[in-house]
Amino acid sequence: MAASSQRKKKSRTAKHTPARTSGNPARRPVVEAGPVTASDWIGAARLRTLPLAIAPVIIGTGAARSTGPEFHWVIALACLAVAVLLQIGVNFTNDYSDGVRGTDAHRVGPARLTASGRVKPRTVLIIGLIFFALAAVVGLAIVVRTEQWWMLAVGAACIVAAWFYTGGKRPYGYYGLGEVFVFVFFGLVATLGTTWVQVFELPLQAWLGAIAAGLFACAVLLANNLRDIDQDREVGKRTLTVLIGRRATQVLFTLFVLAPFGIAVFLALLFPIAWISLLALLAGLPAIVIVWAYRQPRELVTALALTSLTSLLYAGALFWAFVG
């Protein structure tokens, strides 16, 4: 009798206990958070990352302006449009790719459209591809205007790299290569490409500015991945941060934020106003402190935003130094 009563009690308990999911956390269901709003779409564009697209164009334009008196403002604005459109396109396609893989199911930062279940994955993907298409159209206009037809291949490479960051069967962002591609495309390609289409030459200041822009972009990615390190480990996303661990990531982040200021000190020998870029440390140093002292992963969202702001302030200072 006692055994029978105990079995019945267990049966009743099982009926009222939510089923536990097992295996890959990415397969766990995501609870919908209500209808999508305009602010959700704006959040999906991840505006705090846009300074990373704007900064290299500012630096590249300043470097171009330093080589001659003419200011190609139409081409400069077109380069800015390409950079921003590509950045937003990357953000939406990342939302889609990470969402359908389940990587964002238990993320620490703001909820994503796809992972939240409030927007169909196909819709998010289409929005991302639209931004890529707009960037391609503006980029084509630049190529036609400058007659630098070989840059069509560069533009195509940018879009391919943007997609395969988290898209495709073997996204390189899942194998510790995110920082490499970010440095190349958000640093070297974006900055040097902006300078080239305006003056058809690449002075030393353009190269140094490109390296600085790339380092800031890598620092932002490190802060982002440090925030999500535990979740990424669980779902098998092997970012550089997952591979090298927290402490090494903190050291690398610090180097990536401070190294551009070493470059600025050297540039100050050629362009004295470049010393003003050290004021950007007012945003950069607090970001470093947060990365080393954070207790909750959400605090790293602030570090990410401060690092993006640092890159923008730094770029503005170099532009002033180059044109002044």
Side-chain angles (χ1 to χ4, degrees), residues 11-166:
S11 176
R12 286 195 300 270
T13 302
K15 289 181 182 179
H16 294 285
T17 302
R20 294 183 180 180
T21 56
S22 59
N24 191 336
R27 300 182 182 276
R28 296 172 186 166
V30 178
V31 179
E32 295 187 7
V36 66
T37 64
S39 62
D40 291 320
W41 286 104
I42 294 173
R46 307 183 200 180
L47 300 185
R48 65 170 60 90
T49 65
L50 293 188
L52 301 179
I54 298 170
V57 177
I58 293 175
I59 294 172
T61 299
R65 180 67 177 77
S66 69
T67 65
E70 188 176 356
F71 178 46
H72 303 276
W73 64 273
V74 174
I75 296 178
L77 289 177
C79 290
L80 179 62
V82 170
V84 171
L85 290 170
L86 278 176
Q87 177 68 67
I88 296 176
V90 168
N91 292 339
F92 275 107
T93 54
N94 286 355
D95 187 304
Y96 164 79
S97 298
D98 284 342
V100 296
R101 279 191 171 86
T103 308
D104 281 343
H106 298 276
R107 66 191 308 275
V108 177
R112 299 300 183 212
L113 293 177
T114 305
S116 69
R118 290 173 294 171
V119 179
K120 294 181 179 179
R122 180 180 175 84
T123 301
V124 178
L125 174 60
I126 290 173
I127 295 297
L129 295 179
I130 287 174
F131 277 102
F132 283 161
L134 291 173
V137 169
V138 180
L140 179 60
I142 294 173
V143 170
V144 172
R145 171 66 178 79
T146 61
E147 298 184 353
Q148 300 295 295
W149 303 104
W150 60 272
M151 293 198 72
L152 289 174
V154 176
C158 289
I159 293 176
V160 170
W163 168 252
F164 283 104
Y165 173 55
T166 56

Side-chain angles (χ1 to χ4, degrees), residues 174-256:
Y174 281 56
Y175 295 92
L177 295 175
E179 284 75 10
V180 174
F181 281 81
V182 162
F183 178 80
V184 171
F185 287 97
F186 282 89
L188 302 183
V189 173
T191 307
L192 299 177
T194 298
T195 302
W196 180 263
V197 295
Q198 295 185 59
V199 294
F200 307 127
E201 60 179 289
L202 298 174
L204 176 62
Q205 56 267 32
W207 284 98
L208 294 177
I211 293 171
L215 291 174
F216 280 126
C218 289
V220 168
L221 184 57
L222 284 175
N224 180 80
N225 291 340
L226 183 60
R227 180 196 65 196
D228 297 331
I229 185 172
D230 293 328
Q231 291 71 28
D232 287 343
R233 278 200 184 111
E234 288 183 27
V235 299
K237 185 176 181 179
R238 302 179 67 196
T239 62
L240 179 62
T241 296
V242 169
L243 294 175
I244 66 177
R246 280 189 173 85
R247 184 66 68 208
T249 297
Q250 291 167 324
V251 172
L252 199 57
F253 175 86
T254 303
L255 292 175
F256 283 171

